[in-house]
Amino acid sequence: MRKEGRAISDPSRDHDLVVYGASGFVGTLLADYLATHAPDDVRIALAGRSRGRVEAVRAGLPERARDWPVLVADSTDAAALAALASSTKVLATTVGPYARYGLPVVEACARAGTHYADLTGEVLFVRAAIDRCDALARETGARLVHSCGYDSIPSDLGTLLLHRRAAEDDAGALEEAELLASARGGFSGGTVASLLGQLETVVGDRELRRVATDPHGLSPDRAAEPAPAQPADAARPSRRRDGTWVAPFVMAPFNTRIVRRSNALQDWAYGRGLRYGEVMSCGRGPAGAAVAAGVTAGLAAFAGAVTLPPTRALLERVLPAPGTGPSERTREKGWFRSVVHGRTARGRRYTVTVAGQGDPGYAGTAVMLGQSALCLVSDTDRLPDRAGSLTPATAMGTALIERLRAAGHTYDVAPA
């Protein structure tokens, strides 16, 4: 069922929204989601480096998408990217790994004043995009919004909702917040390629490793960040007071940086001393303890294997290849639930629950990126007055939360 609404179109642009990477695994899911849910007046085009592959994807979409224009642009062709960015109000890209292919796309959008949304979970790519494109985008008015999928919308919007409820209650600044993640889903080859690339890069470069491991590595003003230490990204297995065992969450080293950037971009409105961390919920009792220990050992073994060429080569042979992903059945049976627990300076406690059906990295992410792109197209007059290199919370905030609720995702906040 399509969400009703009117696109705020730019008559100087041929399109309202371009899906770049439409022939990839996640790009195809996004195109299908938009073909089902985008309002009829949103002018959508599909783009990629191969016209034939994009046309084949279009042929498999619902009937209303059969006349969507197909555009061709390779990420190494600056002129083609400039023309692509200039043709649309919003560009949503699924072309990764972003560190390898993404920077020219971000820069083309920044120069054209085109709003941009991606799915990256790569700290070093976002840092490079900030350094190269933030000032330019602020001049042109482009909103460059990174991480509009499971990385990192539940974390970012959940913490924003926590802050707003505490502010409404005059409960004081946030001092601590922790996200407990639980989910069922699969991995695609693109996700694996991004993860392997990041780990390999930081192993071989001390300066990049310093940036990647800095808890405030994405801050707009690193020197101004508050002194309190942040929770470890890879905490040891432990049991919470309610009996739940937790383990390191594989996405914490990225999501936490996005949340802290959101706080800093809003002049640390959440709280200058906020300590924010993320862990994975593993269940209770002996079974939960065993899962927590297994997850911790598995993540450590994976990180170690990537540093050695022979084991890395083996991983690349046995893990999903780029362009592949979980089956439709796996995507349908998936789900996610992220619970953010927060405490304020006045001792008030709140819990925010962000949840949804469908594999979080694919079915859920198609909803998140699709609604993010539509939010940038249609909700311009409701968005925060910001441009530059932004996060979902600072670029779209409440408008996106409302869209995702309407799309079937849960965003609930309550006193704890």
Side-chain angles (χ1 to χ4, degrees):
M1 184 174 181
R2 294 196 295 275
K3 179 178 175 63
E4 296 303 321
R6 290 192 57 80
I8 303 177
S9 299
D10 182 344
S12 69
R13 309 269 174 137
D14 294 330
H15 318 293
D16 296 316
L17 170 59
V18 167
V19 176
Y20 186 49
S23 62
F25 185 78
V26 181
T28 300
L29 296 178
L30 173 61
D32 185 73
Y33 178 80
L34 291 170
T36 306
H37 294 87
D40 290 328
D41 63 342
V42 177
R43 302 170 301 164
I44 299 175
L46 306 177
R49 64 180 180 178
S50 167
R51 178 176 294 277
R53 290 182 62 186
V54 176
E55 288 178 341
V57 167
R58 183 180 63 177
L61 296 178
E63 185 66 32
R64 68 184 294 248
R66 301 295 171 79
D67 61 351
W68 286 357
V70 168
L71 311 175
V72 178
D74 192 286
S75 62
T76 63
D77 187 336
L81 286 180
L84 181 68
S86 298
S87 74
T88 186
K89 179 179 179 179
V90 176
L91 185 147
T93 176
T94 63
V95 178
Y98 290 93
R100 185 179 303 168
Y101 302 114
L103 278 175
V105 183
V106 182
E107 187 169 14
C109 289
R111 292 191 181 282
T114 297
H115 303 322
Y116 162 100
D118 69 26
L119 294 174
T120 189
E122 304 169 37
V123 170
L124 296 177
F125 164 71
V126 177
R127 182 71 260 175
I130 293 167
D131 294 341
R132 183 184 296 189
C133 302
D134 178 58
L136 176 61
R138 282 188 277 112
E139 290 178 4
T140 64
R143 294 180 174 92
L144 309 178
V145 194
H146 299 293
S147 312
C148 295
Y150 188 49
D151 280 317
S152 300
I153 277 182
S155 309
D156 203 33
L157 297 186
T159 307
L160 175 67
L161 201 57
L162 181 69
H163 153 67
R164 293 201 168 171
R165 177 58 184 270
E168 289 172 3
D169 292 350
D170 195 24
L174 293 174
E175 289 194 338
E176 292 184 358
E178 182 181 63
L179 180 144
L180 271 68
S182 53
R184 173 184 290 175
F187 283 95
S188 75
T191 299
V192 170
S194 291
L195 185 57
L196 290 175
Q198 291 177 90
L199 290 172
E200 183 180 37
T201 298
V202 299
V203 165
D205 189 307
R206 179 179 298 179
E207 178 58 24
L208 292 179
R209 185 163 64 250
R210 182 193 65 78
V211 174
T213 57
D214 181 353
H216 297 291
L218 299 183
S219 175
D221 187 353
R222 182 62 183 87
E225 288 292 348
Q230 293 293 326
D233 294 325
R236 294 179 180 178
S238 61
R239 188 175 67 175
R240 294 298 188 262
R241 284 182 293 182
D242 66 355
T244 300
W245 282 88
V246 299
F249 182 37
V250 67
M251 294 161 60
F254 182 75
N255 291 342
T256 54
R257 276 62 169 174
I258 292 292
V259 171
R260 292 173 195 140
R261 179 169 175 80
S262 291
N263 190 22
L265 285 172
Q266 298 172 89
D267 296 322
W268 296 276
Y270 300 171
R272 286 198 62 87
L274 172 62
R275 299 179 73 253
Y276 177 79
E278 297 190 350
V279 292
M280 178 180 174
S281 178
C282 298
R284 300 182 181 184
V291 170
V295 168
T296 304
L299 289 174
F302 181 84
V306 171
T307 66
L308 302 173
T311 51
R312 175 183 168 84
L314 177 62
L315 286 172
E316 290 175 339
R317 286 198 297 270
V318 301
L319 291 171
T324 65
S327 67
E328 182 176 359
R329 178 178 176 83
T330 298
R331 297 196 305 270
E332 290 177 350
K333 286 184 170 295
W335 53 267
F336 70 94
R337 188 171 188 267
S338 299
V339 182
V340 186
H341 298 274
R343 180 178 60 80
T344 74
R346 296 181 181 173
R348 299 282 293 276
R349 294 181 182 272
Y350 297 90
T351 299
V352 176
T353 301
V354 181
Q357 293 298 311
D359 183 301
Y362 305 98
T365 281
V367 176
M368 295 179 214
L369 180 57
Q371 290 300 334
S372 294
L374 293 173
C375 189
L376 291 170
V377 168
S378 300
D379 298 338
T380 306
D381 56 350
R382 301 180 57 222
L383 302 184
D385 185 18
R386 294 189 184 95
S389 186
L390 303 172
T391 61
T394 57
M396 294 173 281
T398 301
L400 182 55
I401 291 173
E402 292 175 358
R403 278 187 165 272
L404 291 171
R405 281 173 171 159
H409 287 186
T410 296
Y411 282 82
D412 289 341
V413 59

